Amino acid sequence: MTSQLVDDTNGKTAVRIERLYKSFGSLKVLKEISADIGRGEVVAMIGPSGSGKSTFLRCINLLETPTSGRITIDGTDITDPKTDVMAIRQNVGMVFQHFNLFPHMTVLGNIMYAPVKVKGVSKPQAKAKAMDLLGKVGLLEKADVYPSKLSGGQKQRVAIARALSMEPNIMLFDEPTSALDPEMVKEVLAVMKDLAGTGMTMAIVTHEMGFAREVANRILFLDQGRLVEDASPDVFFSTPKSERACQFLEKVL
Amino acid sequence: MILSWVALLLPPQSVLAAFALDFARISESIPFILGGILITLKFTALSAIFGFIWGTVLSLFKISSFKPLYWFSMVYTSIFRGTPLLVTLSLIYFATPQLTGYDISGFQAGVITFALNSGAYISEVIRAGIQAIDKGQAEAAMSLGVRYQPMMLDIILPQAIKNILPALVNETIALLKDSALVSTIGAQDLLRRAQIVGAEKYVYFEPLLIVAVVYYAMVMALTVTASIMERRLQRSS
């Protein structure tokens, strides 16, 4: 693995995004976004739909290929074509809006698959780790159940455990509660809050303003593909600088 | 008046008598005919297995972003879908010795042709099956650092094949029935054996009827197995 150390990282920056552009054909989705995510930081990305926040998040593990710009994770330039993308992804967990659990595997199978297949962890070891994670998300009794038998909230908690099974340094959440019934949102947010408490670096695209305010250290507000505000939750929610953020907050709060 | 016209149209007594079935005349040949079941089944199974493997490879070519592979698979499929199976079968059986000097047996030529042909059809089925799987599955696998090959083998294909199982069984049934074509190039399958017995004893109806019933029974057995499999798989999802 080629690891180009960027001089100003000094271990405190987990992700550095520099002048990121992303277009789908002629549609410009992201325009010159630059931001750093510090180690252990919980960053909430908010903004109206179509603002590009999900695309932004998906660029961080290269599920979308940036059109131009540079993304550095733990000192490695992931936009360099020579970089082993798969090795990077092992280090960056992702949780999706629609869970994307593997339906033909049990809960345990879902969580054990990647450590065994990708990292070559032995099965007993992977199982012990998976049970530990299931305990943390409160679903020990569901280990041998297939995903179709779970509620939305349970599925998402399993998805979080699955992402954590690879022991990533960074976790990305793409609207993790948007597909859930209201009464299940809480259980998922509680798990995420626990995770934030462990010092995990997290980037969360969310519409849960209360959660963003309570758990995040920083808010990135995007509109029409631009990073409009980058502020602490207190500052952002009480005294937003931009007109657009004021309008947005008026509608959602 | 009308009655006498009808009488004229009816076949004479001797013809009707010949129509009566007499299995006793071929009773000693029945084991020989039924021995063809094994050949036909072996032939179908080999063709289905190789056809499935080849079809899977072709389907991956079809969804590949590498254009030469894509074009190869499209042209290949078009050729095999656009030519009669009997023509490709004869081509391979008669052209192989001429081109390579290798004296290919009817059975070998048959398996090769059927696998190549069935691969073309199956590749379309599998491609559709793969494309019907939610993109989120591949994204979830990729986000975990799973590479292309294990992702396809462990995550995508098992789900795709489960969905297309009925179509795959239909393809196998078609293979089983089309396998009768190898009788034309001398492989001793069910149909060929019936023809041999017919030629020996000058009775065709009985042996052919026997193989028709045997084919039908085998197809039904496949159909029933498929529906049982499908029900089991459905339960796990």
Side-chain angles (χ1 to χ4, degrees):
Chain A
M1 205 173 84
T2 54
S3 170
Q4 294 165 262
L5 222 65
V6 180
D7 45 25
D8 48 4
T9 336
N10 62 33
K12 287 195 180 129
T13 308
V15 185
R16 163 157 294 177
I17 296 123
E18 292 164 282
R19 301 177 59 84
L20 176 68
Y21 285 83
K22 173 68 186 175
S23 308
F24 294 110
S26 61
L27 181 70
K28 293 193 173 93
V29 184
L30 297 177
K31 299 160 196 161
E32 207 190 334
I33 291 185
S34 297
D36 280 356
I37 299 173
R39 203 169 299 287
E41 216 173 10
V42 177
V43 176
M45 301 170 177
I46 62 178
S49 60
S51 59
K53 51 195 191 304
S54 277
T55 307
F56 179 34
L57 191 78
R58 289 161 59 86
C59 280
I60 298 177
N61 67 351
L62 295 184
L63 282 184
E64 303 292 352
T65 313
T67 306
S68 72
R70 194 151 80 133
I71 300 173
T72 317
I73 294 180
D74 294 334
T76 307
D77 179 2
I78 64 164
T79 41
D80 183 344
K82 278 177 292 192
T83 304
D84 182 0
V85 180
M86 290 304 172
I88 296 294
R89 285 184 181 144
Q90 291 178 37
N91 228 359
V92 183
M94 185 157 192
V95 174
F96 299 85
Q97 182 178 359
H98 296 288
F99 331 123
N100 299 346
L101 293 178
F102 307 133
H104 59 304
M105 298 180 183
T106 62
V107 164
L108 202 55
N110 266 276
I111 302 174
M112 286 170 61
Y113 176 73
V116 171
K117 204 76 183 187
V118 179
K119 276 190 174 170
V121 175
S122 75
K123 277 193 178 164
Q125 224 177 322
K127 187 175 175 182
K129 171 86 186 163
M131 294 308 274
D132 177 45
L133 285 167
L134 275 177
K136 281 184 180 149
V137 299
L139 288 171
L140 261 182
E141 76 282 3
K142 300 288 184 189
D144 297 316
V145 163
Y146 281 92
S148 59
K149 297 274 184 290
L150 300 177
S151 72
Q154 291 171 332
K155 280 181 194 169
Q156 197 60 300
R157 280 144 68 195
V158 172
I160 294 172
R162 180 177 67 176
L164 289 173
S165 70
M166 291 297 282
E167 300 179 323
N169 293 332
I170 300 157
M171 284 282 284
L172 309 176
F173 295 83
D174 190 3
E175 302 197 24
T177 58
S178 296
L180 298 177
D181 291 339
E183 69 262 36
M184 290 168 184
V185 170
K186 253 193 176 166
E187 62 188 59
V188 172
L189 292 182
V191 167
M192 290 169 64
K193 200 175 159 186
D194 285 350
L195 188 59
T198 66
M200 175 66 79
T201 307
M202 293 161 73
I204 308 163
V205 170
T206 186
H207 294 293
E208 298 289 331
M209 296 303 145
F211 178 77
R213 188 170 204 164
E214 187 192 338
V215 180
N217 313 119
R218 240 169 88 207
I219 308 286
L220 300 183
F221 178 74
L222 276 81
D223 184 48
Q224 295 183 358
R226 289 186 188 282
L227 180 58
V228 180
E229 298 211 21
D230 180 347
S232 74
D234 286 343
V235 173
F236 178 77
F237 284 107
S238 55
T239 52
K241 282 176 288 177
S242 65
E243 181 88 3
R244 192 63 191 86
C246 291
Q247 289 169 351
F248 177 77
L249 287 175
E250 241 165 63
K251 278 182 199 150
V252 297
L253 288 181
Chain B
M1 183 63 182
I2 293 167
L3 267 176
S4 60
W5 274 108
V6 171
L8 268 175
L9 284 172
L10 278 173
Q13 277 299 305
S14 58
V15 174
L16 276 179
F19 231 81
L21 295 171
D22 184 5
F23 287 101
R25 279 198 288 171
I26 58 155
S27 61
E28 61 192 24
S29 304
I30 287 177
F32 171 70
I33 295 175
L34 295 184
I37 293 177
L38 217 66
I39 309 276
T40 291
L41 282 181
K42 203 169 128 194
F43 179 81
T44 307
L46 284 174
S47 307
I49 290 166
F50 289 131
F52 177 71
I53 295 170
W54 180 224
T56 307
V57 172
L58 282 173
S59 73
L60 294 177
F61 285 4
K62 282 179 181 174
I63 57 169
S64 165
S65 51
F66 186 57
K67 285 296 157 194
L69 288 182
Y70 170 81
W71 284 115
F72 167 77
S73 58
M74 293 318 258
V75 170
Y76 177 93
T77 305
S78 151
I79 290 171
F80 274 89
R81 288 221 267 186
T83 47
L85 190 47
L86 193 50
V87 173
T88 35
L89 182 65
S90 313
L91 261 175
I92 288 179
Y93 181 59
F94 293 111
T96 304
Q98 193 181 327
L99 291 178
T100 66
Y102 175 68
D103 188 18
I104 195 166
S105 75
F107 188 84
Q108 288 167 333
V111 169
I112 291 171
T113 312
F114 277 59
L116 291 177
N117 184 73
S118 145
Y121 284 90
I122 286 181
S123 71
E124 277 299 292
V125 175
I126 298 178
R127 181 192 57 77
I130 290 174
Q131 285 174 341
I133 301 296
D134 181 33
K135 257 183 70 188
Q137 291 291 309
E139 288 184 351
M142 285 191 284
S143 77
L144 289 163
V146 180
R147 286 173 201 282
Y148 182 80
Q149 197 184 330
M151 174 182 89
M152 275 298 167
L153 288 177
D154 301 335
I155 310 292
I156 308 296
L157 282 174
Q159 295 183 56
I161 286 162
K162 185 175 153 187
N163 292 341
I164 59 174
L165 202 63
L168 287 180
V169 174
N170 281 337
E171 178 59 27
T172 311
I173 289 172
L175 266 177
L176 175 62
K177 291 195 290 179
D178 288 344
S179 73
L181 284 175
V182 291
S183 61
T184 62
I185 55 169
Q188 294 228 339
D189 73 324
L190 265 175
L191 178 59
R192 180 84 190 120
R193 287 176 185 226
Q195 288 166 340
I196 290 170
V197 170
E200 264 170 18
K201 313 261 174 181
Y202 302 107
V203 276
Y204 285 94
F205 198 6
E206 288 87 349
L208 285 173
L209 201 59
I210 289 174
V211 299
V213 169
V214 171
Y215 275 119
Y216 183 73
M218 291 195 293
V219 168
M220 281 305 112
L222 259 181
T223 313
V224 171
T225 317
S227 61
I228 291 171
M229 272 163 73
E230 223 180 304
R231 237 175 292 145
R232 285 224 182 122
L233 283 168
Q234 227 67 61
R235 229 178 293 151
S236 73
S237 73

